Amino acid sequence: MSVVVTGMGIFSSIAPNLTDFLDALKSGRANYSIKMVTYGSEEMPVVGSFLEAFDFKEQLNSRQSIPAVLKEKALNAGRRAPTAIQASILAAMEAWIQARLSEHVAAEDSVSVIVAGNNLTNDYIAQMHRTYGDRPEYLPPRFILHSMDTDQVGTLSEIFSIRGEGLTTGGASASGNVALIKAFQLIKAGESDIALVVGPISELSPMIFQGFDKISALGGTGFIENPALACRPFDSGHEGFIPGQSSACLILESRLSAQARGVAPLAAMLSGKSCLDANRQANPAMEGQIRVMKEALRGAEIDAGKINYINAHGTSTPLGDETELRSIQAIFGSGKTGPWINSTKGLTGHCLYSAGVVEAVTTILQMQNGFIHPNLNLVNPVDDDCMLVGSQAKPAQIRYSLSNSFGFGGINTSVIFAGAGVNGTL
Amino acid sequence: MDKSEVFDVIRDNIEEVLPRVTREQIRMDGSLVDLGANSIDRMEVVTFSMEDLGIKVPLQSLAKVDNLAGLVDLFHKHLHESA
C-alpha cells in the first residue's frame, strides 16, 4: 500500500497560508523579533519568530473556499479556544480543502488525526495560573479540556467529522516526524485510508524559556541588537536554537484512496524511520543519525545517491549542526556530488513540535516548484565540503528528498519523499 | 444591583457561551439545559457570571437551582450578603 500526500496547509509567523509561505521560501523572507519573557524576578529577552496576534474569525472569513457548514463548525469549536488550537484549525483547513476532502465524504472511520508533540499547553496553563492562581473560584470550567494535549485531537475531529484513530505523538523536536511516521504506518497497515497530521505551534511558558536558557540551548544573546541575524544554521556564528511558531498540516493517504477519489497526489511518502540512541540527554549522536537515515533509505528501497535534497534538522546549534553534517557526509559523501542541504529553521525559527510537519510541507513545496530555499545567514559555513545552499534560492529539480528531525532524549527520525513526477512512485 | 441587572449579566454570558441562542430565547422561567447547554457550558455561565458580579457562591448551593430565576435569586442574595 503506497502512501501519498494529498493536502498541505500552513499558518506561520512568516506567512498565513501556503501561497505566501512559498513566496517567503523563495525570497528568503523571515520575521524575527524580540520578546521580553518574565519568570519570577528574571526578565530575559528572547529572539524568535513569533506568530502575531490574529482574529480567528477574520482568518476563516478571508478564506473563500471553505464551505459554509465547515466554516460554522470551525467557528463554533475554535472561537474561544487557545491560540494554538486556532492556528492548528487554520492549517488543517487549508490542507483539508486542498485534498478536496470537503467535497468528498470519506468513510469517517477510515480517517485518523495525529497531532505532533506533547506538553503543548504549558503556556496556556501558565497563563491561567497567573490569572486565577489567587482566585481559583473563577477558573473557567473549560480549562481542564484545554489543558490537555488531546484538546487538539478532539477539536479537529469534531470539525472534520473524523472517527478513526486519534492521538498525539511525543518526540520532543522530532515530534512532527514521529507523527508523519505513525500516520505512514497506520496507512501502510491498512488501519486508515487517510491521516490528518497536524503540527501545532509551540507556545512556551516563561518557565520553559528559562529552562532552555539554563542549559544554554537558546541562541540569540549575541544578536539582541539585530534579531534578524540570530538564526544561522550551519554558520560558524550560530549560538543555539531560535524558537519559531508555525502550525502545519499534511494529509497522508493511501494511493488507492486518492485514486478512488480522483485526487492527484502532491508527492509520495516512501518511508519514515525512528530510532533511539539509548541516551536520555540532550546531545546528538552520529551513530543514531546515520542509522536512522540508512534505515529510511532501506525502507524507501532507494540508494543514497538518489537523494538530491536534504531538509536538515539544522537548528543553528553548534554541536547539532556539525554532528548532522558529518552524519550526512558519512552516507551521502561530501563535496559537489552530494545532495543539496538547507535548514528551514533559518526562515521559520525552530518550531519544535511542528518542525517535522513544517519541514515536510517546505520540502514538498520545493519539489513542486523546482527550487531550494536559501540558508538564511549562512556566511561562514561550519563545513565547506558539502552542498549547503547560500543566501539565495537555487533552481533544482528534486526527485527524492530526505528530511531529518532529532529530539532530546536521543530520538532520531528521517522521512523520505518522492516528487509527483518520479516514475513508479505514484 | 437589582435582579433584572443580575439577569442581564447572566444573559450576556449565555450569549458568549452559546452563540446560537438569541437573547429573546433566554427567559427567567427557562433553564440552561433547555437552551442546549452541556454541563461544562452551564458551569461556564455560572463561573463567568460570578466573576462579573464579584461574588463567590459555593457550588453545592447550585444543586437546588432548577431554572434561571433560581440562579438570579441565588446570585442576588450573595451580592447583598457580600455588600
Side-chain angles (χ1 to χ4, degrees):
Chain A
M1 182 75 68
S2 59
V3 178
V4 295
V5 178
T6 51
M8 303 196 291
I10 196 139
F11 188 72
S12 159
S13 57
I14 63 168
N17 56 51
L18 277 181
T19 308
D20 290 358
F21 190 71
L22 175 61
D23 186 57
L25 294 177
K26 283 181 173 168
S27 59
R29 188 180 75 230
N31 180 22
Y32 290 104
S33 62
I34 292 185
K35 181 164 95 170
M36 293 306 294
V37 174
T38 306
Y39 180 60
S41 58
E42 290 275 321
E43 194 174 29
M44 60 186 277
V46 176
V47 180
S49 184
F50 304 109
L51 193 64
E52 283 160 22
F54 62 93
D55 183 316
F56 178 62
K57 192 174 177 181
E58 264 174 34
Q59 283 294 332
L60 277 176
N61 285 336
S62 70
R63 292 149 197 256
Q64 307 292 332
S65 49
I66 308 174
V69 176
L70 199 52
K71 189 184 285 184
E72 173 80 12
K73 284 172 86 176
L75 261 178
N76 275 335
R79 86 200 149 86
R80 296 195 303 142
T83 308
I85 300 256
Q86 295 183 337
S88 290
I89 294 170
L90 292 167
M93 188 65 81
E94 188 174 29
W96 194 259
I97 285 168
Q98 186 179 38
R100 289 173 40 204
L101 285 161
S102 56
E103 302 162 27
H104 173 91
V105 183
E108 291 175 342
D109 59 358
S110 73
V111 184
S112 299
V113 55
I114 302 185
V115 174
N118 55 9
N119 309 326
L120 302 170
T121 64
N122 71 68
D123 191 47
Y124 171 75
I125 292 172
Q127 283 174 27
M128 290 292 117
H129 183 68
R130 277 199 300 278
T131 310
Y132 297 104
D134 57 357
R135 43 193 200 113
E137 296 85 353
Y138 301 141
L139 183 70
R142 67 181 185 280
F143 163 78
I144 202 65
L145 295 178
H146 291 329
S147 72
M148 297 181 192
D149 291 339
T150 45
D151 195 29
Q152 291 257 356
V153 174
T155 303
L156 293 165
S157 74
E158 181 174 310
I159 294 169
F160 299 110
S161 305
I162 293 171
R163 294 176 191 271
E165 287 197 30
L167 67 150
T168 60
T169 61
S173 295
S175 296
N177 264 6
V178 173
L180 289 170
I181 292 164
K182 289 297 133 191
F184 181 80
Q185 291 169 347
L186 273 182
I187 295 171
K188 278 273 181 193
E191 297 287 344
S192 290
D193 292 335
I194 296 169
L196 181 76
V197 180
V198 174
I201 58 165
S202 55
E203 290 192 295
L204 305 182
S205 69
M207 190 176 185
I208 298 289
F209 276 119
Q210 191 72 24
F212 275 125
D213 197 48
K214 276 279 182 295
I215 61 162
S216 303
L218 278 180
T221 50
F223 299 93
I224 297 301
E225 300 301 316
N226 200 344
L229 302 181
C231 195
R232 38 199 322 117
F234 306 119
D235 183 84
S236 54
H238 52 186
E239 295 179 335
F241 87 85
I242 305 295
Q245 293 186 309
S246 296
S247 174
C249 177
L250 210 65
I251 290 174
L252 297 184
E253 185 164 1
S254 78
R255 183 175 50 83
L256 287 178
S257 167
Q259 272 174 352
R261 297 196 303 114
V263 175
L266 310 173
M269 181 166 170
L270 299 188
S271 86
K273 295 287 179 180
S274 176
C275 74
L276 298 173
D277 288 334
N279 172 24
R280 66 192 166 84
Q281 304 287 346
N283 59 302
M286 275 183 74
E287 187 277 329
Q289 295 183 355
I290 291 170
R291 189 154 46 93
V292 82
M293 285 189 271
K294 280 187 172 168
E295 277 295 300
L297 288 166
R298 197 176 61 80
E301 299 177 346
I302 57 170
D303 295 329
K306 290 264 194 190
I307 300 282
N308 60 343
Y309 166 63
I310 294 180
N311 186 301
H313 182 57
T315 58
S316 187
T317 301
L319 183 61
D321 288 356
E322 283 157 36
T323 306
E324 185 176 13
L325 286 184
R326 285 206 301 277
S327 301
I328 289 171
Q329 286 166 337
I331 300 172
F332 299 94
S334 48
K336 299 295 171 203
T337 57
W340 283 108
I341 302 167
N342 65 11
S343 166
T344 304
K345 295 180 180 77
L347 299 172
T348 58
H350 188 349
C351 299
L352 302 175
Y353 332 113
S354 65
V357 188
V358 172
E359 289 157 26
V361 168
T362 302
T363 296
I364 293 167
L365 282 174
Q366 292 171 101
M367 297 176 93
Q368 289 179 308
N369 293 280
F371 76 104
I372 302 185
H373 75 68
N375 272 307
L376 206 67
N377 297 319
L378 182 59
V379 181
N380 298 304
V382 290
D383 191 324
D384 273 331
D385 202 21
C386 51
M387 294 279 280
L388 287 166
V389 187
S391 60
Q392 299 291 319
K394 298 272 185 203
Q397 293 308 315
I398 308 164
R399 291 168 58 79
Y400 295 94
S401 60
L402 178 145
S403 177
N404 283 333
S405 286
F406 308 127
F408 282 9
I411 299 172
N412 306 295
T413 64
S414 295
V415 295
I416 293 179
F417 295 101
V422 176
N423 289 340
T425 58
L426 293 175
Chain B
M1 187 178 271
D2 63 25
K3 286 186 179 179
S4 75
E5 289 167 305
V6 172
F7 187 45
D8 280 342
V9 167
I10 294 171
R11 285 205 290 191
D12 288 345
N13 285 308
I14 292 173
E15 286 185 312
E16 166 68 13
V17 174
L18 303 170
R20 286 179 182 151
V21 171
T22 63
R23 206 164 177 91
E24 295 69 42
Q25 289 175 290
I26 308 168
R27 295 158 49 93
M28 280 282 241
D29 58 354
S31 73
L32 288 168
V33 173
D34 296 338
L35 295 170
N38 65 30
S39 62
I40 293 177
D41 296 336
R42 297 200 294 276
M43 281 312 299
E44 294 250 309
V45 170
V46 168
T47 307
F48 294 165
S49 300
M50 287 198 310
E51 186 174 9
D52 290 344
L53 295 166
I55 54 173
K56 294 173 180 177
V57 179
L59 294 183
Q60 58 269 29
S61 60
L62 291 165
K64 296 171 201 136
V65 172
D66 55 10
N67 63 11
L68 288 171
L71 193 60
V72 169
D73 285 344
L74 182 67
F75 284 175
H76 188 256
K77 181 167 147 266
H78 275 266
L79 257 178
H80 286 269
E81 280 172 4
S82 60

